[in-house]
């Protein structure tokens, strides 16, 4: 059996097939059952014309599972780092990545672009991997993010290039609001106890503690709701850009990065049939920069 070219499009379809079988209950433990593997094999043949054996499909499942686990571990290191919404990955200097690769050998591939097909992989593996964390830290307040942590978003023009070492690693959001609204600072610790004008400490009875807890929950819920207001995220749309044939560093990929900072452009792109998207990006590029 010839080796399979697991390019962007083939991998995207495979991840969809895997997620479909998990949703149908064909993953009783850590792998698909015989029915699940057979359905994936048929799906690859029907959708892509790829003839794959069970062993080849299982090997790819194991590799994707390892990638997902490495990505989850990497995101646990994300506190106080920069985040690129276009590339969907962490923006830090080479020294930071060197240490990360030493701890997580498989994470090096995520320096240039984040985990692809993350929604499908989350459905496949989120409940069967263990990365050594059994509870959320106070700073892991955004449930919509794949790794649980709330990233410090870097401006698109900053993360669209190789960032100099003296510009990375900083906190790109104003965290002063958290000190006022939340019982925890971004570093996960309680702020110093405030005193009133007479030098007395405020009461810290049960009612005060309950109020603090309620405030924290409201802030987390508001953050989650806000993240859901936009129909398509930048990372999600860029994945579809690559899937339609606009490879990284191509003219189409370049214009997509410029356009999809705007929500309206992302929604317009996603309304197009998949077979028309690359041609649309080509026209957009030519209209702005010429043939």
């Amino acid at each position: 059996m010839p080796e399979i070219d697991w390019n962007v499009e083939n991998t995207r379809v495979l991840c969809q097939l895997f997620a479909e079988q998990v949703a149908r209950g064909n993953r009783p433990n850590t792998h698909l059952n015989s029915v699940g593997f057979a359905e994936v094999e048929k799906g690859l043949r029907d959708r892509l014309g790829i003839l794959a054996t069970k062993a080849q499909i299982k090997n790819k499942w194991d590799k994707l599972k390892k990638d997902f686990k490495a990505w989850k571990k990497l995101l646990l290191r994300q506190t106080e780092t920069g985040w690129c919404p276009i590339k969907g990955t962490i923006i830090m200097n080479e020294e930071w990545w060197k240490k990360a690769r030493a701890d997580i050998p498989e994470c090096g591939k995520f320096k240039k672009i984040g985990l692809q097909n993350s929604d499908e992989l989350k459905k496949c593996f989120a409940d069967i991997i263990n990365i050594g964390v059994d509870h959320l830290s106070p700073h892991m307040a955004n449930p919509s993010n794949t790794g649980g942590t709330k990233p410090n978003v870097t401006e698109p023009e900053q993360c669209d290039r190789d960032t100099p070492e003296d510009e990375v690693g900083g906190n790109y959001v104003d965290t002063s609001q958290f000190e006022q609204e939340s019982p925890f600072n971004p570093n996960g610790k309680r702020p110093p106890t405030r005193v009133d004008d007479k030098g007395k400490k405020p009461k810290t009875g049960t009612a005060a503690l309950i109020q603090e807890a309620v405030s924290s929950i409201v802030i987390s819920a508001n953050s989650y709701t806000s993240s859901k207001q936009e129909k398509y995220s930048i990372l999600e749309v860029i994945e579809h850009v690559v899937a339609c044939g606009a490879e990284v560093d191509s003219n189409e990929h370049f214009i997509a990065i410029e356009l999809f900072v705007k929500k309206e452009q992302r929604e317009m792109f996603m309304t197009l049939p998949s077979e028309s998207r690359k041609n649309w990006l080509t026209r957009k590029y030519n209209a702005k920069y010429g043939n």
Side-chain angles (χ1 to χ4, degrees), residues 25-219:
N26 288 327
R27 192 215 61 195
N29 40 61
T30 59
H31 290 82
L32 299 179
N33 57 23
S34 57
V35 174
F37 278 119
E39 287 296 315
V40 171
E41 185 177 344
K42 181 178 182 298
L44 288 174
R45 183 173 63 250
D46 294 344
R47 299 186 193 183
L48 299 173
I50 291 178
L51 300 178
T53 65
K54 178 180 178 180
Q56 289 174 314
I57 296 171
K58 181 180 180 298
N59 287 340
K60 189 60 176 178
W61 169 279
D62 290 338
K63 186 176 184 305
L64 290 170
K65 180 181 176 183
K66 184 181 294 185
D67 287 345
F68 182 79
K69 186 173 184 178
W71 177 247
K72 294 277 284 185
K73 287 183 176 180
L74 183 66
L75 290 185
L76 289 179
R77 304 172 66 96
Q78 188 182 307
T79 306
E80 303 299 329
T81 65
W83 178 265
C84 175
I86 294 177
K87 297 179 180 179
T89 194
I90 296 170
I91 300 298
M92 288 296 289
N93 59 28
E94 184 57 39
E95 182 63 24
W96 187 94
W97 278 100
K98 182 179 179 181
K99 293 178 180 178
R101 286 192 293 266
D103 294 337
I104 314 168
E106 302 86 0
C107 78
K109 67 182 70 177
F110 300 128
K111 182 179 179 182
K112 293 185 177 180
I113 189 168
L115 182 71
Q116 304 297 291
N117 308 299
S118 57
D119 288 343
E120 288 77 14
L121 295 182
K122 185 176 181 180
K123 294 174 184 176
C124 294
F125 306 123
D127 59 338
I128 60 172
I129 66 167
N130 183 3
I131 57 174
V133 177
D134 57 3
H135 64 280
L136 293 180
S137 300
H139 61 269
M140 298 172 66
N142 186 355
S144 64
N145 189 44
T146 303
T149 56
K150 183 176 181 179
N152 301 324
V153 179
T154 305
E155 292 298 323
E157 51 272 8
Q158 288 181 292
C159 64
D160 190 33
R161 55 178 170 79
D162 291 331
T163 311
E165 290 189 3
D166 59 352
E167 294 183 17
V168 298
N171 190 355
Y172 295 102
V173 295
D174 180 9
T175 59
S176 61
Q177 59 178 314
F178 298 111
E179 296 177 1
Q180 300 172 3
E181 299 176 356
S182 171
F184 296 100
N185 285 328
N187 61 9
K189 298 179 180 179
R190 286 185 178 273
T193 302
R194 295 180 174 84
V195 297
D196 59 21
D197 294 337
K198 298 180 179 180
K200 296 180 180 180
K201 295 182 180 180
K203 294 181 180 180
T204 57
T206 304
L209 294 175
I210 293 175
Q211 181 60 43
E212 285 185 344
V214 171
S215 298
S216 180
I217 293 171
V218 169
I219 292 169

Side-chain angles (χ1 to χ4, degrees), residues 236-267:
E236 178 184 3
V237 177
I238 290 298
E239 287 182 356
H240 285 280
V241 168
V242 176
C244 79
E247 298 180 355
V248 177
D249 293 332
S250 66
N251 291 339
E252 291 78 10
H253 193 275
F254 175 80
I255 196 66
I257 291 175
E258 284 194 351
L259 291 173
F260 296 153
V261 174
K262 296 183 178 180
K263 176 173 69 71
E264 295 79 7
Q265 294 286 359
R266 298 198 297 272
E267 292 182 355

